[in-house]
Amino acid sequence: MTQIWDDFTDYIIQNYPDAKKIVEVGVGAILTPAQLLKEKLPDTKITLIDIHPKNETVTYDDITQPTDSIYENSDLIYAIRPPEELQPDIMNLASKYNTDIIIKPLFTEEINLKYKNKLKLKNYKRLSLYHYKRVI
């Protein structure tokens, strides 16, 4: 399982080497990607968000009613295996905070069809993910 997280974090590092702030939403119990990013991007602030924080490294927030200070000035917001019903809220974060989005769905899960034209399917090494880049 570590290979997938190595590929995932490598994709982020390749696309956001100078990021100042990255936010992961819906962290759950999977902390490995954020830990790898913190090691590989030591100058980047990595913030972990969940509505049910599992430990002290995860901040409480509800993305359906986001706390502005958490997401403002983010270079990237990403979510790993978010349920389809939360995908609209994740895309709303992109609009509200003018940031890029990466969604890594479950292997068997489709992206919400409403966002297929905005989110581009990317295949990177052994990984498939959806990436939205804001227009600057």
Side-chain angles (χ1 to χ4, degrees):
M1 188 58 113
T2 58
Q3 179 65 47
I4 193 168
W5 302 133
D6 288 338
D7 291 350
F8 182 75
T9 55
D10 188 48
Y11 180 84
I12 291 174
I13 292 163
Q14 295 299 315
N15 285 276
Y16 299 91
D18 301 319
K20 300 293 179 225
K21 184 177 178 181
I22 295 175
V23 179
E24 179 179 350
V25 297
V27 175
I30 301 173
L31 300 176
T32 305
Q35 291 166 339
L36 290 170
L37 286 173
K38 287 178 182 181
E39 290 170 14
K40 297 176 182 180
L41 294 172
D43 295 330
T44 303
K45 180 180 180 183
I46 310 292
T47 303
L48 307 177
I49 303 300
D50 202 289
I51 197 163
H52 301 291
K54 302 279 190 249
N55 65 49
E56 68 282 348
T57 66
V58 180
T59 301
Y60 168 84
D61 198 51
D62 179 353
I63 64 170
T64 66
Q65 299 174 344
T67 302
D68 291 340
S69 61
I70 293 172
Y71 307 97
E72 288 173 331
N73 303 311
S74 296
D75 298 292
L76 172 67
I77 296 172
Y78 71 89
I80 298 170
R81 302 175 184 156
E84 188 174 339
E85 62 269 14
L86 287 182
Q87 293 172 11
D89 297 307
I90 294 167
M91 291 305 295
N92 287 341
L93 296 174
S95 298
K96 184 172 183 178
Y97 302 105
N98 191 31
T99 188
D100 293 4
I101 297 289
I102 293 176
I103 296 177
K104 170 65 185 108
L106 283 169
F107 294 110
T108 59
E109 187 173 18
E110 280 289 321
I111 203 74
N112 187 311
L113 292 175
K114 181 178 177 183
Y115 302 105
K116 280 254 185 180
N117 63 338
K118 290 183 179 184
L119 289 160
K120 303 298 180 202
L121 177 63
K122 301 287 183 174
N123 292 306
Y124 183 79
K125 297 183 182 180
R126 299 177 185 173
L127 174 71
S128 294
L129 54 83
Y130 290 92
H131 196 171
Y132 164 80
K133 288 200 171 211
R134 66 186 176 253
V135 178
I136 300 176

